[in-house]
Amino acid sequence: MSADKVMTIALVGNPNSGKTTVFNVLTKLRQKVGNYSGVTVEKKSGRMTLANGKKTDVIDLPGTYSLAVRSTDEKAVHDVLFGHMTGTERPDWIVCVLDATNLERNFYLVSQIHDLELPMVIVLNMMDELEAEGKAVDVEKLQAVLGIPVVPMVATKGKGVEALKEILSKETLPAHPRPWRMSEPMEEEVEGLVQWLMKNRNLDRPLAFSEAVIWISKGNIECEHIDADEQLYTLLTGAWERLSVKGVSWRMGAIEARYNWVHKILDGVVRRGSRRKRDMTQKLDAVLIHKVWGWFFFAALMAFMFLLIFTVATYPMDWIDAGFARLAEFVKNVMPAGDLRNLITDGVIAGVGGIVIFLPQILILFFFISLLQDTGYMARAAFIMDRLMNSVGLHGKSFIPLLSSFACAIPGVMSARSIESTKDRLVTILVAPLMTCSARLPVFTLLVAILLPSASVFGKTGIMMLLYALGILGAVVMAWVFKRTLLKGPTPPFIMELPPYRLPSVQSICLHMWERSRIFLKRAGTVIFAFSVVLWALMNYPKHEGVSAAVALEKSYAGQIGMLIEPVIKPLGYDWRIGIGLVGSFTAREIFVSTMSIVFNVGEGGGALTLREAFVRAQWPDGSPLFTPLVCVSLMVFFVYAMQCISSIAVVRRETNSWRWPIFQVVYMGVLAYTAAFLVYQGGRIIGLQ
Amino acid sequence: MKIITLDKMQVGQSGIIQNVVDESVICRRLLEMGVTPKTSLKVVRFAPLGDPMEIELRGYHLLIRKCDAAMIEILLDERTQMNADKRGADERR
Ligand SMILES: Nc1nc2c(ncn2[C@@H]2O[C@H](COP(=O)(O)OP(=O)(O)OP(=O)(O)O)[C@@H](O)[C@H]2O)c(=O)[nH]1
Ligand SMILES: [Mg+2]
């Protein structure tokens, strides 16, 4: 290796072993950490400085139990280690991050990585939990047996990180030949495959061996839809047949041989614990996964969250509101009257302020979601929901992306990568945006306030939970429909690790909330800012002198657009002004709120009306009120089901690698939203509601 | 000495894996996660709706559906039979 070449280090290990935590300590970055399998779903890179001052690239990878990969996220690990990932060089060092409380299973992956014959360091993470169980690991002995450096670590406290950096700054050690062996017939068949792979696929010996063992342990079903070409497939079938005749299980042969090696390595290295394992977790689970209390707990948690959203959050929201009002006042005082001043007060401040005000509510929502992710509740939710998900043809793991989508559909859609079956992953992606995300929160809060102006917080909480339930119901029903029509397939098997509960660090939760609110504010400062300016212009031009503000708005460009679509949305109970908001909301849902504040600010001639008051006063031309309870409900239902988010569309496009699915998604959700709102409004009118 | 399939075991019972029948789609992944013959395991609980189940083996906890658990043959540890009976009686009470 030349002196100035930047070295690359890859972090590899089982899911949830703490790879991202180690990555964050090494690179001082802040990638998402969480206490369940499948938090990291794509390759992430960063830079670090070693003890000798040398700069090094660090790659964080998704977790995997094996290099014989089954899902999209696991494939990234295979591709990086085998050098198949475009734009990423094969790593010079591999850091295997192991969960020290669970060495046997973790070492299975070590044995696979060992086969690659790359320089490697072993990190025994979570030493604190090991000690809490009264266990110990003889690091010296393990190191001696393996011939590989072993570093004990507590990544969350940064313990052991310096020792790791020290080792990485030394010259890479030469790799050892393979220390484990299979039965003779297996060895022979594998050797045959190795020769073929070296010749026909141009692999070097270690890679060819790794691939050969992976191939031979796979069954025909698995090989059929993987890139096994005709010739390789014939070779494999021959090998399986010969082994079966000799009574050797080709499926188990290599796996058992590896576990035998693991046993030998760990013999006398781990001292058994005195204390009972996972005591706290057992006690908590007895309640949280209880037949009755489990459901009760989840409902209570959600209810508590909404109560906070409607009580605690209102104070800072009032402050923010007052702040923006004062800002508008200030601008009015210092600037001469004119279009520019109006643009700033009625366009920018009303638009951006109308959104930023919801920050406190969104922070509370994100606090609860990161609590679910960091404590380990997420995996429990998958456990509890698997039976239900099974009946619609998905499995419990699909529930994790759905639950994450409560925050935002984008991480939800991304985390679907950990689902093995392509079809099921697609179904999950298609329904994830039906889950009520944080961008809907401002819209719902506003509509709830109009619908039930004098209701207690309990009433509002009830409505909110109902809306969330509607979203979940929609997602489940649509998943059921897709699994039976477009994306038919068998119900996938479900196996998942259940981690112990872990205390989330305050720092990690704060960081997560800060990251999310930064994104939220950035959106308010860019997209919504720009949109507010454009909208303001559309509403104020062409100029009409000497008419009332309301008439001028009607004759403006925005008014004309609204008028154009009014016939389409009138059956849902909406007029052209709501139409303007709806058109805008297809870029991002919360734009509906900012648009409404601009429309009604202008339409009612400005003044000191709060948005709610302006809404209550809004009328149809014949003088009947616009925002009747029925219209509010119809709007809520529309927002529950419609796909109104450019960023989600872009992510779905990236994740599915085609425009077909995002377009399909926009259309089906649009039809769903329109139909549901139509049924609510027209149905309500038939039974005599207003 | 009694051999039964994993899905038939009760909460609190433990046993030793005898065989993993080759038919399940996830057979290989189960093996790779350490569900191999001669490993001992324990049933921790069933999900509130009866399926899947939580088992403990090799120092970690695994969730698995009953239909997949039916592929795993277990040599039941008779001593733990009593625990399970007692627990069952407690629950019925
Ligand atoms: N007690 C303890 N907890 C740790 C330690 N290192 C990480 N954790 C916790 O373990 C959990 C998993 O950490 P991550 O860094 O997200 O694990 P990962 O390996 O990146 O997980 P995936 O991306 O899902 O594969 C988090 O809750 C961490 O806070 C440690 O040394 N001790
Ligand atoms: Mg990670």
Side-chain angles (χ1 to χ4, degrees):
Chain A
M1 204 188 326
S2 67
D4 52 341
K5 186 182 167 281
V6 177
M7 214 169 64
T8 310
I9 294 169
L11 295 168
V12 188
N14 280 181
N16 212 38
S17 63
K19 297 173 295 299
T20 306
T21 313
V22 175
F23 177 82
N24 286 347
V25 181
L26 289 178
T27 60
K28 304 196 169 61
L29 291 174
R30 302 165 188 167
Q31 291 300 336
K32 183 83 193 82
V33 165
N35 188 20
Y36 60 98
S37 306
V39 180
T40 310
V41 290
E42 59 182 347
K43 188 200 88 183
K44 300 271 181 194
S45 332
R47 267 285 164 95
M48 69 178 274
T49 314
L50 289 176
N52 59 6
K54 249 212 290 206
K55 296 244 182 302
T56 304
D57 282 331
V58 187
I59 303 177
D60 183 25
L61 289 168
T64 184
Y65 295 107
S66 157
L67 291 184
V69 297
R70 296 172 51 90
S71 56
T72 316
D73 58 341
E74 291 175 356
K75 189 166 180 306
V77 184
H78 176 275
D79 288 354
V80 166
L81 295 186
F82 281 70
H84 293 340
M85 176 85 83
T86 39
T88 309
E89 276 192 54
R90 253 189 115 199
D92 303 294
W93 267 109
I94 295 183
V95 176
C96 267
V97 181
L98 312 188
D99 175 351
T101 65
N102 183 6
L103 280 181
E104 285 181 31
R105 199 202 59 216
N106 278 260
F107 255 97
Y108 178 80
L109 183 66
V110 172
S111 101
Q112 286 190 326
I113 292 175
H114 200 295
D115 294 347
L116 298 173
E117 296 186 20
L118 287 171
M120 149 158 92
V121 187
I122 287 178
V123 166
L124 296 183
N125 195 26
M126 316 232 178
M127 289 302 282
D128 53 338
E129 290 191 359
L130 186 88
E131 277 159 27
E133 284 168 22
K135 287 192 191 163
V137 174
D138 188 340
V139 175
E140 295 295 318
K141 185 167 175 194
L142 185 60
Q143 201 158 256
V145 178
L146 283 170
I148 298 172
V150 178
V151 186
M153 188 175 285
V154 183
T156 35
K157 301 207 178 74
K159 269 191 213 162
V161 174
E162 285 311 317
L164 175 64
K165 281 188 179 177
E166 193 66 42
I167 288 169
L168 291 175
S169 60
K170 287 189 199 132
E171 272 301 298
T172 53
L173 300 167
H176 306 280
R178 170 166 63 105
W180 61 282
R181 277 187 81 75
M182 296 167 278
S183 64
E184 265 329 298
M186 279 290 281
E187 289 283 347
E188 274 164 30
E189 294 296 346
V190 168
E191 183 57 30
L193 279 174
V194 169
Q195 293 302 335
W196 186 87
L197 285 168
M198 284 170 70
K199 208 165 90 215
N200 294 284
R201 294 265 173 104
N202 274 331
L203 298 177
D204 60 14
R205 197 177 167 85
L207 283 191
F209 177 79
S210 301
E211 288 283 21
V213 178
I214 290 174
W215 282 118
I216 210 159
S217 312
K218 280 180 180 171
N220 343 13
I221 321 162
E222 271 186 284
C223 285
E224 259 162 30
H225 53 258
I226 312 177
D227 63 334
D229 53 40
E230 200 72 31
Q231 222 185 338
L232 177 58
Y233 191 69
T234 321
L235 272 176
L236 281 170
T237 326
W240 291 331
E241 242 164 54
R242 283 188 295 278
L243 287 171
S244 300
V245 168
K246 287 181 195 155
V248 179
S249 167
W250 42 266
R251 217 192 268 268
M252 267 187 234
I255 299 173
E256 282 199 293
R258 287 186 198 278
Y259 269 109
N260 288 342
W261 172 73
V262 171
H263 252 278
K264 226 168 51 205
I265 290 287
L266 294 181
D267 186 37
V269 164
V270 183
R271 204 187 62 215
R272 298 225 158 247
S274 46
R275 260 153 284 175
R276 253 194 72 193
K277 219 190 153 187
R278 303 194 4 152
D279 231 4
M280 197 61 211
T281 295
Q282 288 308 329
K283 278 182 193 145
L284 276 171
D285 272 345
V287 180
L288 301 188
I289 323 185
H290 188 267
K291 281 192 187 80
V292 181
W293 302 125
W295 304 104
F296 184 78
F297 171 79
F298 189 68
L301 189 75
M302 293 294 280
F304 180 60
M305 180 180 85
F306 288 121
L307 279 180
L308 288 187
I309 283 179
F310 285 118
T311 53
V312 176
T314 51
Y315 300 103
M317 285 171 78
D318 285 345
W319 303 334
I320 298 175
D321 199 19
F324 275 103
R326 207 168 292 161
L327 186 64
E329 207 54 44
F330 172 76
V331 173
K332 277 201 177 118
N333 287 336
V334 296
M335 279 182 70
D339 271 359
L340 185 61
R341 192 180 84 176
N342 289 346
L343 169 66
I344 293 176
T345 55
D346 300 341
V348 174
I349 295 181
V352 174
I355 289 301
V356 172
I357 182 174
F358 291 99
L359 184 61
Q361 292 190 333
I362 287 185
L363 279 177
I364 291 178
L365 179 71
F366 281 123
F367 171 77
F368 275 86
I369 288 173
S370 39
L371 210 59
L372 294 187
Q373 292 178 333
D374 289 3
T375 51
Y377 188 79
M378 234 32 173
R380 269 87 193 166
F383 182 44
I384 295 173
M385 296 302 290
D386 179 64
R387 188 64 245 295
L388 288 178
M389 300 297 282
N390 192 354
S391 58
V392 302
L394 293 177
H395 61 41
K397 257 191 231 169
S398 289
F399 194 67
I400 292 179
L402 295 186
L403 211 52
S404 306
S405 298
F406 274 164
C408 172
I410 294 169
V413 166
M414 297 275 299
S415 63
R417 284 189 188 194
S418 60
I419 297 169
E420 296 94 1
S421 140
T422 329
K423 283 184 178 167
D424 295 333
R425 178 171 164 222
L426 210 51
V427 172
T428 311
I429 290 176
L430 283 179
V431 302
L434 287 168
M435 303 299 279
T436 301
C437 67
S438 62
R440 285 173 173 107
L441 199 58
V443 180
F444 289 165
T445 316
L446 180 67
L447 292 171
V448 168
I450 300 164
L451 181 65
L452 304 166
S454 50
S456 67
V457 285
F458 293 103
K460 290 178 179 167
T461 300
I463 294 273
M464 272 309 209
M465 289 185 68
L466 216 62
L467 289 172
Y468 273 67
L470 269 186
I472 300 176
L473 187 73
V476 169
V477 170
M478 287 318 292
W480 183 81
V481 171
F482 291 142
K483 272 295 280 195
R484 248 151 217 80
T485 53
L486 278 183
L487 297 159
K488 261 196 208 124
T491 302
F494 169 78
I495 35 172
M496 207 174 117
E497 190 183 348
L498 193 69
Y501 286 106
R502 296 202 163 100
L503 259 187
S505 77
V506 178
Q507 189 202 1
S508 144
I509 288 190
C510 288
L511 261 175
H512 186 219
M513 286 166 68
W514 158 243
E515 281 295 313
R516 299 308 314 188
S517 43
R518 220 188 42 157
I519 296 172
F520 177 78
L521 288 177
K522 201 174 136 204
R523 241 157 77 139
T526 53
V527 181
I528 292 171
F529 177 86
F531 197 85
S532 301
V533 172
V534 172
L535 187 75
W536 181 87
L538 286 177
M539 287 192 318
N540 281 275
Y541 298 97
K543 281 260 174 214
H544 294 274
E545 297 299 337
V547 291
S548 76
V551 175
L553 174 63
E554 202 174 323
K555 289 201 168 18
S556 70
Y557 293 122
Q560 289 170 25
I561 298 173
M563 287 296 192
L564 196 68
I565 64 161
E566 195 181 83
V568 182
I569 55 174
K570 207 158 181 187
L572 311 183
Y574 317 151
D575 78 340
W576 58 275
R577 284 172 293 185
I578 300 180
I580 299 176
L582 277 190
V583 171
S585 70
F586 273 86
T587 37
R589 294 182 177 92
E590 64 267 37
I591 283 188
F592 180 75
V593 175
S594 65
T595 309
M596 290 290 99
S597 22
I598 301 173
V599 168
F600 288 97
N601 236 350
V602 175
E604 306 299 323
L609 287 178
T610 67
L611 188 52
R612 204 182 67 71
E613 286 164 339
F615 268 36
V616 174
R617 281 195 200 178
Q619 291 174 339
W620 286 95
D622 66 5
S624 59
L626 176 57
F627 285 96
T628 60
L630 201 54
V631 170
C632 288
V633 176
S634 155
L635 264 176
M636 286 175 180
V637 171
F638 188 89
F639 272 89
V640 167
Y641 292 124
M643 171 90 164
Q644 301 153 292
C645 181
I646 298 260
S647 333
S648 301
I649 295 174
V651 165
V652 173
R653 144 90 193 110
R654 203 184 78 191
E655 294 295 293
T656 60
N657 222 346
S658 88
W659 277 110
R660 220 171 66 217
W661 292 112
I663 290 172
F664 170 73
Q665 192 171 29
V666 171
V667 172
Y668 102 76
M669 286 177 66
V671 171
L672 191 65
Y674 191 90
T675 315
F678 182 86
L679 290 179
V680 164
Y681 185 68
Q682 297 299 340
R685 292 219 324 179
I686 288 171
I687 59 168
L689 296 176
Q690 266 204 327
Chain B
M1 288 291 135
K2 200 164 107 194
I3 290 184
I4 59 173
T5 54
L6 175 57
D7 60 315
K8 300 275 175 351
M9 285 174 72
Q10 288 162 18
V11 174
Q13 285 185 333
S14 52
I16 296 168
I17 300 171
Q18 293 299 298
N19 192 16
V20 181
V21 181
D22 250 17
E23 277 159 27
S24 163
V25 195
I26 52 164
C27 165
R28 182 172 55 79
R29 181 45 59 93
L30 279 174
L31 291 168
E32 289 188 314
M33 287 179 80
V35 186
T36 52
K38 298 199 275 292
T39 310
S40 57
L41 59 72
K42 183 179 160 195
V43 178
V44 180
R45 65 164 57 77
F46 289 87
L49 296 173
D51 195 23
M53 61 201 292
E54 178 184 341
I55 58 174
E56 185 184 341
L57 78 158
R58 294 191 191 264
Y60 78 100
H61 288 226
L62 182 72
L63 306 177
I64 179 174
R65 278 193 189 145
K66 280 190 197 165
C67 60
D68 297 317
M71 305 286 168
I72 303 170
E73 290 167 2
I74 308 286
L75 176 67
L76 200 61
D77 182 346
E78 305 273 358
R79 280 166 305 171
T80 58
Q81 178 71 41
M82 285 189 321
N83 299 348
D85 287 345
K86 190 161 150 280
R87 193 186 295 253
D90 283 348
E91 247 160 46
R92 275 191 294 279
R93 226 183 291 143

